[in-house]
Amino acid sequence: MYGLIGRAVSGDGLKQEDVVELADSVYDTLRNEAVLDWVNKEDVQREMRRKIKRQLRLAKCPLDKIETLAVEIMDWARTSIKG
C-alpha cells in the first residue's frame, strides 16, 4: 500500500515519512474494520471508504486525488485483507 499512496501523492509535498505513516494508519483502519465477510457487506465498505478519505484529508493529500485513491485502496484491500 505504500507504493500505491506514494505514487498518488508524489510531487505533492508529502515527505516519505508522512507517506509511510499514512499507509500504516490506513492499513490499521482497514484491519480494524474488516469483519467477517466484509467484502460482501456494502455498509462496512462504505464506512471504510469514509474513514480512508478522512485520513487522506487530514494528511493533506490533494483533494482532487482523494476519491480515486480511496477507491484504489479499497480495491487493494479486497485482495489483501481477509475478514
Side-chain angles (χ1 to χ4, degrees):
M1 181 181 333
Y2 303 105
L4 184 67
I5 294 174
R7 280 190 307 275
V9 298
S10 66
D12 290 320
L14 285 178
K15 294 183 252 176
Q16 183 64 28
E17 305 88 53
D18 296 335
V19 172
V20 169
E21 187 176 318
L22 176 59
D24 286 342
S25 177
V26 168
Y27 181 77
D28 289 343
T29 296
L30 292 170
R31 289 293 307 152
N32 289 333
E33 295 292 321
V35 297
L36 184 63
D37 202 29
W38 71 269
V39 175
N40 298 315
K41 297 179 180 178
E42 186 58 39
D43 57 328
V44 174
Q45 292 181 47
R46 189 178 313 113
E47 184 66 16
M48 288 174 149
R49 280 191 303 273
R50 187 183 69 76
K51 289 183 177 186
I52 290 167
K53 289 177 189 178
R54 183 174 190 274
Q55 288 178 303
L56 294 173
R57 279 191 298 276
L58 289 173
K60 307 276 192 260
C61 184
L63 296 177
D64 61 330
K65 295 182 180 179
I66 289 177
E67 185 65 37
T68 303
L69 185 52
V71 169
E72 290 174 1
I73 289 170
M74 287 301 295
D75 289 343
W76 175 88
R78 283 185 197 92
T79 61
S80 302
I81 297 178
K82 305 298 178 206

